[in-house]
Amino acid sequence: QVQLVESGGGLVQAGGSLRLSCVASGSIFFSINAMGWYRQAPGKQRELVATITNGGSTNYADSVKGRFTISNNNAKNTVYLQMNSLKPEDAAVYYCRADGLAGTLAPFVSWGQGTQVTVSS
């Protein structure tokens, strides 16, 4: 019912920056409560990177605090992740997540297909 499409991933050298975007869309009514970014590196569990509610409350993993900034544009159903001072350990597939209500106002959780972030040293 709600599709998420990420963009902005790529290869960057350590110390560089990337900006990820995620756009939510659907043909049926939906209302998003929160969106966030998660990442998964090979051999590791998927982990939270940052989340933001429609009201603007943010939460960051300690490992990215001070380097990454999450923001949203509610009118465009879009969430962004500005990643600065990238480190090799930031390399992972980054997934967008959204939760809210859709259709008959049933709760939903949607995930994007992921965008690869590679950080070279």
Side-chain angles (χ1 to χ4, degrees):
Q1 292 181 323
V2 179
Q3 293 183 340
L4 306 179
V5 179
E6 304 104 329
S7 62
L11 189 152
V12 65
Q13 289 187 313
S17 298
L18 285 173
R19 186 174 187 251
L20 307 183
S21 299
C22 174
V23 181
S25 63
S27 60
I28 309 297
F29 165 85
F30 68 93
S31 177
I32 293 175
N33 297 130
M35 299 184 75
W37 292 94
Y38 296 71
R39 67 188 182 188
Q40 188 168 22
K44 298 184 65 177
Q45 295 278 353
R46 187 174 298 185
E47 65 176 353
L48 182 149
V49 178
T51 60
I52 186 167
T53 68
N54 282 351
S57 297
T58 58
N59 183 44
Y60 295 92
D62 288 341
S63 60
V64 307
K65 199 170 298 182
R67 299 187 297 120
F68 292 9
T69 302
I70 189 170
S71 61
N72 59 7
N73 185 328
N74 291 336
K76 296 182 178 180
N77 292 320
T78 302
V79 65
Y80 307 94
L81 185 68
Q82 178 67 46
M83 304 186 294
N84 298 327
S85 302
L86 282 161
K87 304 175 180 180
E89 52 262 43
D90 294 319
V93 177
Y94 283 69
Y95 296 92
C96 180
R97 177 191 183 276
D99 66 81
L101 302 173
T104 57
L105 302 185
F108 75 88
V109 176
S110 293
W111 291 88
Q113 292 188 334
T115 184
Q116 177 71 238
V117 172
T118 303
V119 184
S120 64
S121 60

